[in-house]
Amino acid sequence: DIQMTQSPSSLSASVGDRVTITCRASQSIRSFLNWYQQKPGKAPKLLIYGASSLQSGVPSRFSGGGSGTEFTLTISSLQPEDFATYYCQESYITPRGTFGGGTKVEIK
Amino acid sequence: QMQLQESGPGLVKPSETLSLTCGVSGGSINTSSYYWGWIRQPPGKGLEWIGTFYHTGDTYYNPSLKSRVTISVDTSKNQFSLTLTSVTAADTAIFYCARQDLRRGYFDYWGQGTLVTVSS
């Protein structure tokens, strides 16, 4: 089974900060990596698919990078509505998929 | 606009069977373009993929749950269902249904989720 490890598990940041979250896979998953944002009481929302493709309607301050085993999600300038928990998900052997443990982005 | 809606009992007794249904509107589940899946999230914890089905009848399950999970479909009602047997308190979670892209495997449309508590 493919294991997904996110870091950090939580972070504190201020509005306007640049934030980067890392997701590591236990084996190469090429670019089959997706990112989601989840706010309290809500379903996850797809942000990035295929490691770096921005889902329609998602602000351009979100970007994804990486391939193989190491991936990043970057928020270029953190906005108040971005405080949430972020999850990565591998989909190398679709439709099977494993999620990372999540990264909670909190207000400093 | 694609919409998914979970429904089912919010409370299930230990050792019994959990059954949920996902109603889909705005598109047909009988499509070759997408999978349809279930994901769960224990309160305050992360996401876990449970299983997925394809319109051909093929089903795929998380190995850790495979012995207890069944996903079925009712195309006449445009809905699919989840059955989880022999539940314990560890199965208490918010259950989501979602549409899954065939090629890239991402979940792009989600239901709002339904909390199922396992307790006597």
Side-chain angles (χ1 to χ4, degrees), chain A residues 1 31-34 36 38 41-46 49-51 55 87 89 91 94-101, chain B residues 35 39 41 45-49 52 59-63 96 100-108 110-113:
Chain A
D1 289 0
S31 63
F32 289 89
L33 192 283
N34 313 302
Y36 301 84
Q38 187 180 34
K42 299 294 186 181
K45 171 188 174 183
L46 178 67
Y49 63 92
Q55 173 69 347
Y87 293 93
Q89 177 229 347
S91 53
T94 296
R96 297 167 180 83
T98 302
F99 291 88
Chain B
Y35 296 109
I39 300 102
Q41 184 173 37
K45 296 189 178 180
L47 300 162
E48 179 181 37
W49 172 71
T52 291
T59 51
Y60 310 83
Y61 300 127
N62 187 320
Y96 296 100
Q100 188 175 16
D101 184 79
L102 190 70
R103 293 188 303 114
R104 302 301 298 191
Y106 54 78
F107 296 96
D108 58 354
W110 295 65
Q112 65 185 25

Side-chain angles (χ1 to χ4, degrees), chain A residues 37 39 59 61 79-84 86:
Chain A
Q37 176 193 67
K39 295 182 178 179
R61 63 180 178 274
Q79 298 301 300
E81 60 268 30
D82 301 336
F83 292 95
Y86 294 83

